[in-house]
Amino acid sequence: MSVSLNRPLPPAALGLLSLLGCCLASPALADANPYYVGTALNLSHVSNIYRQNNNANSDRVVSASLLAGIDQTFGRQRLNLDASLQANRYQNNSELNNRGYTLKGGLDWSTAERLSGSVKVNNSQSLATYNIGSGIAPIFKKNIEKNTAVDAVLRVGLVTKFSAEASAGQRSRRFSAIEYSRLEVDQTRYSLGLTYSPSPNLRLGVAGRHTRDRFPRFTLINLLNAEYQASEFTRKDIDLTGRAVLSGASSIDGRISHGRSRVKLGAGNDFNGTTGQLTWTWLPTVRWNIATTLSRDTGLETSFFRVGGNTLNADQNRVTTSAQLAVSYELTAKIVLNASASSSRAERVDDFLGQQAKSQDRDTAYSLGARWLYSRSIQLGCQYTKNSRSSTIVQYVYDANSFGCYGQMVLN
């Protein structure tokens, strides 16, 4: 199971628990029994809950999770499904008590001929990120965020080293707080391309990609009648992709795209430029695992790096440049240490009274943690995370940190 740690509340608890479900469940799934069930409990202290730049408050959070999953191969197909239910309770801010869930699944398939592909789904509910920026004033109330995504890929292997690939996907995001309504979005995208693999260690690709982003409640027209003006963008990109295995311990994955985004309905800004992402994975020894990622993009295509995972940014008027370093070290057969650092710089341009107003945010995050694999079914651990932001807009500036310990048991 893999769930991103992309939210300040209670992600230090929930995301970590769910992420560790993956680490523990994976060995079990290699056995004859493809099913697993489990439970997890996290106790954490979170400072600056609402991500304020002053009068920050803190609280203790208890998060309990139920886990379940399956990883089953039948014939040429493979089905995997991971699910978790979470209950989160705050000691002092009980109005934030909430229930969340994650559901991730995938089907990899192939035929006896040259056809293969995959279908993936992702559905989640959790407390939204506070002080999200993006031109939205900070709020101090319960705000539930729901995300859904479906992605499908079809590959046709040709007689030569070339293969054709078509993909399509849909994403949507909704908030319970009306103040975040302008960030609600529906996205559809599809691409068609060709890949070339002269050897197992090298793959190159080129594809055309078309994306449509629609923000159904972008501008509030009438507060009494709750009338909104939608905003819509269309984007076209040419993607150059590649993967190179430099050695048995090092590999590079990358994408360079050039495209343009145009406003088709409502307010917003056009974008024309080059974007991309580069990831280098290095295993210097059997105990070390080091990954470095660089990214620059806009809107939903942005990889907004945070400790332990990423989150989607739906702001079309924002260009984000990010970097992340993640390191894990196997101290013993039962103890694993991990650390990460990330930094992202976002530049936003808005039209105000006919004039363009620019703003800039810089988010940084650091994390240190350790986990102890008591047995195949039980593990314990602790994690410390620090987040901060500097901004040209004073109300977006904050510092926050969290520390928590957890326990998890998975049976299969």
Side-chain angles (χ1 to χ4, degrees), residues 289-360:
N289 191 325
I290 303 173
T292 305
T293 304
L294 304 174
S295 174
R296 180 183 186 270
D297 221 316
T298 65
L300 280 177
E301 314 314 316
T302 299
S303 291
F304 214 27
F305 294 113
R306 296 187 185 275
V307 173
N310 57 32
T311 186
L312 298 177
N313 171 35
D315 192 349
Q316 283 291 150
N317 294 342
R318 177 182 292 247
V319 178
T320 303
T321 303
S322 306
Q324 183 184 55
L325 173 66
V327 180
S328 67
Y329 177 68
E330 187 177 330
L331 184 63
T332 68
K334 291 182 175 294
I335 299 177
V336 179
L337 308 178
N338 62 79
S340 65
S342 64
S343 176
S344 63
R345 184 185 65 187
E347 298 178 350
R348 177 181 169 86
V349 180
D350 282 309
D351 290 323
F352 182 71
L353 298 178
Q355 301 292 324
Q356 285 195 338
K358 296 183 179 180
S359 62
Q360 185 177 105

Side-chain angles (χ1 to χ4, degrees), residues 132-194:
I132 199 170
S134 302
I136 297 176
I139 63 174
F140 309 99
K141 65 180 183 180
K142 186 175 179 179
N143 184 22
I144 299 298
E145 176 180 347
K146 295 183 179 181
N147 285 283
T148 61
V150 180
D151 295 280
V153 177
L154 172 64
R155 301 180 184 89
V156 181
L158 307 181
V159 178
T160 63
K161 299 175 181 179
F162 291 90
S163 63
E165 184 174 292
S167 66
Q170 186 276 336
R171 298 174 183 172
S172 67
R173 180 163 73 171
R174 294 293 184 269
F175 297 95
S176 63
I178 191 173
E179 292 85 351
Y180 275 43
S181 60
R182 66 175 301 179
L183 293 183
E184 295 183 350
V185 62
D186 296 303
Q187 182 192 79
T188 57
R189 65 192 183 282
Y190 54 86
S191 68
L192 181 63
L194 195 67

Side-chain angles (χ1 to χ4, degrees), residues 68-268:
I70 177 176
D71 193 328
Q72 176 69 64
T73 300
F74 50 97
R76 299 176 181 271
Q77 291 29 270
R78 179 181 179 183
L79 173 67
N80 63 83
L81 180 67
D82 295 284
S84 68
L85 296 175
Q86 305 116 19
N88 314 291
R89 295 294 180 265
Y90 292 77
Q91 181 177 353
N92 301 320
N93 298 267
S94 58
E95 69 277 6
L96 296 181
N97 292 349
N98 66 91
R99 297 177 181 176
Y101 61 83
T102 60
L103 176 62
K104 301 183 68 175
L107 174 65
D108 297 317
W109 60 272
S110 64
T111 68
E113 299 298 328
R114 301 186 180 93
L115 293 178
S116 64
S118 64
V119 178
K120 297 180 180 180
V121 297
N122 193 337
N123 194 356
S124 66
Q125 173 181 298
S126 62
L127 202 63
T129 300
Y130 285 97
N131 199 347
I132 199 170
S134 302
I136 297 176
I139 63 174
F140 309 99
K141 65 180 183 180
K142 186 175 179 179
N143 184 22
I144 299 298
E145 176 180 347
K146 295 183 179 181
N147 285 283
T148 61
V150 180
D151 295 280
V153 177
L154 172 64
R155 301 180 184 89
V156 181
L158 307 181
V159 178
T160 63
K161 299 175 181 179
F162 291 90
S163 63
E165 184 174 292
S167 66
Q170 186 276 336
R171 298 174 183 172
S172 67
R173 180 163 73 171
R174 294 293 184 269
F175 297 95
S176 63
I178 191 173
E179 292 85 351
Y180 275 43
S181 60
R182 66 175 301 179
L183 293 183
E184 295 183 350
V185 62
D186 296 303
Q187 182 192 79
T188 57
R189 65 192 183 282
Y190 54 86
S191 68
L192 181 63
L194 195 67
T195 62
Y196 172 60
S197 300
S199 72
N201 295 329
L202 180 63
R203 185 185 66 194
L204 303 173
V206 60
R209 172 164 50 100
H210 182 275
T211 307
R212 174 180 175 268
D213 293 325
R214 188 175 189 275
F215 300 81
R217 300 199 297 171
F218 191 80
T219 304
L220 180 61
I221 299 177
N222 189 319
L223 179 60
L224 296 178
N225 298 327
E227 296 181 9
Y228 292 86
Q229 169 68 52
S231 184
E232 187 174 313
F233 296 81
T234 59
R235 175 169 171 166
K236 297 179 181 179
D237 288 272
I238 296 296
D239 299 328
L240 301 178
T241 60
R243 173 177 173 79
V245 179
L246 306 181
S247 67
S250 178
S251 63
I252 293 179
D253 293 87
R255 171 184 62 84
I256 298 178
S257 305
H258 185 79
R260 60 179 59 185
S261 175
R262 292 290 181 263
V263 181
K264 293 297 183 181
L265 176 66

